[in-house]
Amino acid sequence: MKVLKFGGTSVGSVESIKNVKNILAGREGKKLLVLSAMSGVTNKLVEITDLIKVKDHSAIATIISELKNKHEETIDALINDATLNADAGSFVNDVLTTLKSLTLNEYSEGVYAEVVTTGETMLTYIFSTFLTQQGIQNNFLNAKDFMHVSNLENPDTELVGELFQKSISQLEPTEVYITQGFVRIDSNNSINTLKRGGSDYSATILAAAVKADEVQIWTDIDGFHNNDPRYVENTHAIAELSFEEASELAYFGAKILHPQTISPVIKRQIPLFLKNTFTPDLPGTRISDEIHSRGLKAISAKDGITAIKIKSNRMLMAHGFLKKIFEVFDKYETAIDMITTSEIAISLTIDSDRNLDQILEELNDYGEITVEKEHSIICIVGEGLIEDKSTSRLFELLNDIPVRMISYGGSNNNISLLVASKHKIQTLQGLNQKLFEHQETPQFV
Ligand code: ADP
Ligand code: ASP
Ligand code: MG
């Protein structure tokens, strides 16, 4: 079985949905399709959840009617068989009626999750019906039957696999199975999400669960680029990345992959391909452990970083100081991304301000605290990067941009810089110029 995930733009219009069908039709073998909502739909659903908070039911009704029109137009353009057209239409209608009644509730995390995951439910059903009309036999699967993911960081893929097998065992076997990305059932047995952009993660969880031969993530760009194409010109797709390189880049902000996408496939060594739905013949990027290139590969940036400095004279020669500091973050389940130390101070970064107030209150006991918000981590990645002499050029950049922290040598594959977010684009562009536009063959010491 292969797992193929198609993102929002890949299923965002009638034309692109037809493209997806052609991509499938040209590929032999069993396929499990994981689909996102049509592009823009999840954002609209998030808007609805904000309107639930302020009980603006007329604005909610307007958005629901826009969503109804969008999906009905798609059904009409794709499905001309009267019975199938009516079936898809009534499915969407039922989903939107349920959505409407949900919006009468008080806002809660559960209501949020139920609302925002309805885009995937509608689109997968429409796509399944479209394939049926095109003579491609397929099974429509409800992801809530098997995406039981209680631990977001460490999903139990064995359990997902067992539940998946149970779901399909009752069905006539087909070559194509279709299910929703993004949604999960949490430890309370409630509907929840894998966070925004989570369909990538759904695909790799399922790939590990069904022991797939490979995962293909189909999107609107021709592979993993060496820098963020939204901010930097002349970026290019990278032919191959190791699992480690791809996970660093995804975790540190490369939007093309949800931060956790890579971990489920590492354990089972399942190769992951990134491909463009609109130019399917291009090779894209292969992510696996069989890589043949070393040296600098790519740069990414993660926003929303808070830097915390703890300055304390007591730290001087004191063993156990760092342990006490880390225990505070552990207590409030807050991950630390970067750390630098000096004799009298430690600086570290976190990407979630959720428990910041409590953390700061406890840290106050250990010294003088300074907090700086709105920072970005710039992450430079490549196997053996540290041995590549050309990366020393990045230090030339420090003349132009104030860098708050540097992490160098933590691993051979990564250098991270912390800059104020207002300097992010300048840093990405500057690094591109210094590192890639001068790039010869990597020069190892
Ligand atoms: P999908 O809806 O298919 O999941 P996303 O919008 O989540 O697609 O991800 C694809 C987008 O990620 C690209 O269009 C591009 O703008 C952005 N992106 C950011 N960093 C990178 C990168 N390093 N390589 C490729 N794309 C990137
Ligand atoms: N539709 C969801 C989102 O927009 C999940 C995804 O696209 O991966 O976040
Ligand atoms: Mg995405």
Side-chain angles (χ1 to χ4, degrees):
M1 176 104 83
K2 288 182 179 160
V3 175
L4 283 73
K5 177 256 168 175
F6 291 88
T9 38
S10 302
V11 292
S13 70
V14 170
E15 273 326 295
S16 45
I17 292 175
K18 287 182 181 167
N19 259 350
V20 174
K21 186 225 108 199
N22 293 337
I23 289 168
L24 291 181
R27 271 148 231 263
E28 301 265 290
K30 272 201 188 303
K31 292 171 276 290
L32 169 58
L33 258 64
V34 177
L35 304 180
S36 298
M38 296 180 82
S39 58
V41 167
T42 312
N43 287 347
K44 287 276 166 205
L45 293 165
V46 171
E47 262 180 55
I48 291 182
T49 64
D50 288 332
L51 293 165
I52 294 174
K53 290 179 191 159
V54 294
K55 298 192 176 6
D56 188 343
H57 294 292
S58 98
I60 291 173
T62 309
I63 298 180
I64 292 181
S65 102
E66 281 168 24
L67 291 174
K68 190 167 157 55
N69 291 341
K70 184 180 178 87
H71 288 88
E72 280 177 355
E73 281 166 16
T74 308
I75 293 170
D76 288 342
L78 287 171
I79 306 167
N80 40 39
D81 176 284
T83 317
L84 292 174
N85 180 300
D87 177 43
S90 89
F91 184 91
V92 165
N93 198 38
D94 288 351
V95 171
L96 291 174
T97 308
T98 311
L99 173 68
K100 191 154 201 174
S101 54
L102 252 174
T103 63
L104 301 174
N105 289 298
E106 287 294 320
Y107 177 86
S108 68
E109 277 182 26
V111 168
Y112 171 88
E114 281 200 51
V115 170
V116 300
T117 54
T118 52
E120 273 72 11
T121 312
M122 291 188 282
L123 186 271
T124 43
Y125 198 86
I126 295 172
F127 190 75
S128 162
T129 315
F130 171 55
L131 287 193
T132 306
Q133 170 183 275
Q134 300 302 111
I136 302 176
Q137 298 254 318
N138 67 89
N139 274 302
F140 172 80
L141 305 176
N142 184 350
K144 291 165 206 145
D145 293 340
F146 45 84
M147 284 301 285
H148 284 237
V149 175
S150 344
N151 184 337
L152 256 188
E153 270 76 44
N154 193 12
D156 182 351
T157 54
E158 290 291 326
L159 173 67
V160 174
E162 279 163 31
L163 295 171
F164 181 84
Q165 293 306 336
K166 203 169 137 201
S167 297
I168 65 167
S169 66
Q170 293 140 15
L171 304 167
E172 275 295 308
T174 47
E175 266 209 347
V176 179
Y177 292 85
I178 300 173
T179 198
Q180 306 80 39
F182 192 35
V183 69
R184 68 170 171 125
I185 299 297
D186 65 17
S187 52
N188 301 321
N189 249 330
S190 306
I191 296 175
N192 209 321
T193 72
L194 294 169
K195 306 221 172 125
R196 290 304 305 272
S199 299
D200 302 327
Y201 196 26
S202 307
T204 53
I205 292 172
L206 280 165
V210 304
K211 304 184 174 55
D213 306 324
E214 65 179 61
V215 191
Q216 300 171 7
I217 293 192
W218 291 82
T219 181
D220 61 355
I221 188 162
D222 58 342
F224 211 116
H225 277 220
N226 62 325
N227 204 329
D228 195 321
R230 292 169 300 173
Y231 308 117
V232 179
E233 283 177 4
N234 301 323
T235 60
H236 59 82
I238 306 164
E240 52 172 22
L241 284 170
S242 69
F243 285 129
E244 209 174 298
E245 289 169 336
S247 30
E248 295 257 20
L249 290 163
Y251 183 74
F252 286 111
K255 188 193 173 225
I256 187 165
L257 288 178
H258 176 280
Q260 268 131 343
T261 308
I262 302 294
S263 66
V265 289
I266 295 185
K267 288 183 201 134
R268 295 193 187 274
Q269 297 278 309
I270 302 170
L272 187 155
F273 295 84
L274 283 167
K275 300 272 291 173
N276 190 340
T277 307
F278 306 95
T279 52
D281 295 332
L282 290 180
T285 301
R286 178 189 158 96
I287 300 171
S288 72
D289 256 355
E290 291 162 39
I291 58 150
H292 308 97
S293 48
R294 284 166 60 79
L296 173 66
K297 292 275 181 61
I299 303 171
S300 62
K302 178 173 170 177
D303 297 328
I305 304 293
T306 299
I308 302 172
K309 182 162 80 187
I310 305 134
K311 196 171 158 200
S312 164
N313 294 327
R314 275 181 294 149
M315 190 177 164
L316 197 71
M317 315 285 270
H319 66 82
F321 183 83
L322 288 179
K323 179 169 176 255
K324 287 190 195 122
I325 301 285
F326 291 153
E327 272 168 1
V328 175
F329 290 88
D330 190 40
K331 180 170 167 193
Y332 293 101
E333 296 178 347
T334 299
I336 297 170
D337 283 331
M338 279 178 84
I339 312 169
T340 54
T341 58
S342 78
E343 264 313 279
I344 55 150
I346 166 173
S347 281
L348 44 80
T349 68
I350 56 174
D351 67 1
S352 159
D353 285 356
R354 203 163 37 103
N355 296 316
L356 185 61
D357 291 344
Q358 291 104 304
I359 290 173
L360 294 180
E361 205 177 307
E362 295 210 15
L363 288 179
N364 256 325
D365 295 343
Y366 298 107
E368 189 189 315
I369 314 292
T370 324
V371 178
E372 292 163 87
K373 294 193 176 183
E374 286 176 43
H375 275 63
S376 299
I377 292 178
I378 311 288
C379 183
I380 306 163
V381 167
E383 298 273 346
L385 173 74
I386 301 257
E387 297 141 43
D388 184 338
K389 279 185 186 160
S390 61
T391 52
S392 59
R393 280 209 201 92
L394 84 89
F395 292 100
E396 293 168 17
L397 200 82
L398 308 189
N399 296 329
D400 309 330
I401 297 164
V403 174
R404 169 72 182 75
M405 283 166 72
I406 300 180
S407 169
Y408 184 100
S411 87
N412 273 348
N413 309 334
N414 169 310
I415 301 170
S416 304
L417 311 174
L418 182 73
V419 299
S421 295
K422 62 177 186 234
H423 293 131
K424 174 182 85 170
I425 296 178
Q426 189 192 354
T427 311
L428 288 174
Q429 291 172 346
L431 285 171
N432 216 60
Q433 212 182 25
K434 299 256 185 282
L435 300 182
F436 292 113
E437 289 169 21
H438 290 95
Q439 204 176 26
E440 303 116 38
T441 37
Q443 300 170 3
F444 289 105
V445 185

